[in-house]
Amino acid sequence: MVDEIFFLFLTHPNTRRELFDIHIQKRGLNPVDFNLDALVKASARFTGANIKQAISSGLYSICEGEWKLQSEDVLKEVQATKCLADLMPEKLDALREWARGPTVFAD
């Protein structure tokens, strides 16, 4: 039996859209009420964990008010997030190069 090593790197736009959809729904909100195109575009170098955190942070940022989470709240958190792809680009490039050999790329 041969084991495979799967390599998950930065998410594809369709995957990011699905992740925003999932995390918005988990909070009892309707993804139709959000500008998912803008959120997907702004989160180009995000992982799934970054997307989850942007939704959570957006909720915390409005918790003192009486309003509902909106695209602008999440977008502000996305723009404020320093993701690993921005903080350590050389290390991520090296990791991606290493993964070309022994791994199966996945999204």
Side-chain angles (χ1 to χ4, degrees), residues 1-105:
M1 180 197 291
V2 176
D3 287 334
E4 291 182 311
I5 301 171
F6 290 93
F7 183 74
L8 298 167
F9 199 61
L10 301 176
T11 54
H12 184 274
N14 292 338
T15 303
R16 289 196 309 277
R17 177 179 297 281
E18 288 178 35
L19 289 167
F20 275 113
D21 193 279
I22 288 166
H23 290 293
I24 289 167
Q25 285 185 51
K26 277 187 166 184
R27 277 119 185 122
L29 302 168
N30 189 344
V32 173
D33 297 333
F34 289 78
N35 184 344
L36 294 179
D37 289 336
L39 294 174
V40 167
K41 184 176 180 181
S43 63
R45 297 174 58 83
F46 274 36
T47 64
N50 293 135
I51 291 170
K52 180 180 179 182
Q53 187 59 46
I55 300 292
S56 296
S57 295
L59 285 167
Y60 282 116
S61 72
I62 65 164
C63 69
E64 294 180 13
E66 295 294 323
W67 59 88
K68 189 168 81 170
L69 183 69
Q70 299 178 356
S71 294
E72 294 78 22
D73 304 311
V74 179
L75 192 55
K76 185 167 50 170
E77 297 301 329
V78 166
Q79 292 166 341
T81 299
K82 303 293 184 219
C83 57
L84 284 177
D86 294 330
L87 295 173
M88 294 189 264
E90 301 85 13
K91 288 185 179 183
L92 289 179
D93 288 343
L95 181 61
R96 186 181 325 165
E97 188 60 35
W98 167 83
R100 289 187 199 285
T103 68
V104 175
F105 277 74

